[in-house]
Amino acid sequence: MHSERASWGLKLAAWGGLVFLHFPILIIFIYAFNTEQSAFSFPPQGFTLHWFSVAFGRVDVLESIKLSLQIACLATLIAMVLGTLAAAALYRRDFFGKEGVSLMLILPIALPGIVTGLALLTAFKALGIEPGIFTIVVGHATFCVVIVYNNVIARFRRTSHSLIEASMDLGADGWQTFRYIILPNLGSALLAGGMLAFALSFDEIIVTTFTAGHERTLPLWLLNQLSRPRDVPVTNVVAMLVMLVTMLPILGAYYLTKGGESVAGSGGK
């Protein structure tokens, strides 16, 4: 009886934590459909889709969405290539400085965004590179590489090396082994890492603030909207879009990797 009460208490605490974390997001979702233009009318006065047509009819919103998608795609592509190569180089071989290299790869995601952004801005200025799309992509790729690297090296460690040895023994060259053995085992980890990297890049604001120059991504557009209370309904709609675009890839990545222990050749019984 006591353990049953404790179990219910833990469940209530867990649900209470979830409600506490997601209640502000729920408010944004509700007010995106509110008929009133005021941000402070409570309860909401009605239901409307009018603000969606207003938001997607604005050129500044569409340009910011297009820019954020472009940057997120480029940063994700770079991260998938560099993260996969780094994982392949580090997962099997021991060499002097390996732990230091691993630390340097992971460090960008652990550092505060303001430190990373300031360091990137200083480096770009020293090299004579003006802030713009290129600098934003490079800045986003610095922490997106970590996400892909962590996913891929975890999958490498769960994949038996005997599969690769068997492929080579049967006459496959390096490319054939990569295509038919390694890549299928890495597929879901790569996809999950790419989805997480895309989500992180799409809503990144701190590093972007230092590297954007005159460009305005969607998160920067939202930040600028805080000084325009008359546009609050449109801001709520765009904020809801950002949350959906970032939450869905994260959920997808979770479902792709939660069964990772059953990877072929991992030795699971």
Side-chain angles (χ1 to χ4, degrees):
M1 188 68 178
H2 177 73
S3 62
E4 185 177 342
R5 286 199 300 269
S7 176
W8 274 106
L10 289 173
K11 289 179 181 178
L12 287 174
W15 280 106
L18 287 174
V19 170
F20 177 78
L21 289 172
H22 293 92
F23 182 74
I25 297 176
L26 179 62
I27 294 296
I28 293 291
F29 274 61
I30 292 173
Y31 275 88
F33 299 95
N34 188 21
T35 55
E36 292 295 318
Q37 188 170 3
S38 172
F40 307 106
S41 60
F42 186 84
Q45 303 302 306
F47 180 89
T48 182
L49 297 175
H50 170 69
W51 304 116
F52 286 82
S53 61
V54 173
F56 291 107
R58 288 181 50 164
V59 176
D60 57 337
V61 173
L62 296 178
E63 288 181 347
S64 296
I65 292 173
K66 180 181 176 182
L67 180 61
S68 288
L69 289 173
Q70 179 184 356
I71 290 169
C73 289
L74 290 172
T76 300
L77 181 61
I78 294 171
M80 290 181 71
V81 174
L82 296 182
T84 303
L85 293 176
L90 292 174
Y91 94 103
R92 283 281 297 173
R93 298 287 182 263
D94 289 324
F95 54 88
F96 177 76
K98 178 179 177 179
E99 297 301 323
V101 173
S102 299
L103 177 63
M104 294 300 291
L105 278 167
I106 297 172
L107 197 58
I109 201 72
L111 288 174
I114 191 169
V115 174
T116 302
L118 185 58
L120 286 167
L121 179 61
T122 303
F124 290 139
K125 290 295 185 182
L127 295 172
I129 301 173
E130 289 300 318
I133 295 178
F134 172 76
T135 56
I136 301 174
V137 171
V138 171
H140 287 198
T142 57
F143 56 82
C144 289
V145 166
V146 184
I147 305 300
V148 177
Y149 168 79
N150 283 337
N151 275 273
V152 173
I153 201 166
R155 183 60 53 87
F156 267 132
R157 288 167 178 165
R158 291 197 296 265
T159 302
S160 175
H161 191 67
S162 61
L163 292 174
I164 300 174
E165 293 175 343
S167 173
M168 303 296 281
D169 288 342
L170 292 171
D173 57 27
W175 168 247
Q176 289 173 321
T177 300
F178 175 78
R179 180 180 177 185
Y180 296 111
I181 303 298
I182 298 175
L183 194 58
N185 278 293
L186 295 182
S188 59
L190 276 172
L191 184 58
M195 293 169 73
L196 285 171
F198 179 88
L200 282 176
S201 175
F202 188 81
D203 71 350
E204 164 58 38
I205 187 169
I206 300 176
V207 173
T208 310
T209 302
F210 286 91
T211 58
H214 298 294
E215 302 292 341
R216 182 177 293 179
T217 61
L218 200 56
L220 290 181
W221 182 90
L222 284 170
L223 182 64
N224 186 62
Q225 288 297 107
L226 294 177
S227 60
R228 301 181 179 180
R230 292 181 60 84
D231 281 348
V232 165
V234 175
T235 305
N236 288 335
V237 169
V238 178
M240 186 177 75
L241 170 68
V242 172
M243 286 184 280
L244 289 175
V245 170
T246 52
M247 283 193 298
L248 294 178
I250 291 171
L251 288 174
Y254 166 74
Y255 283 108
L256 281 170
T257 56
K258 70 175 183 177
E261 65 277 0
S262 61
V263 176
S266 61
K269 296 181 180 179

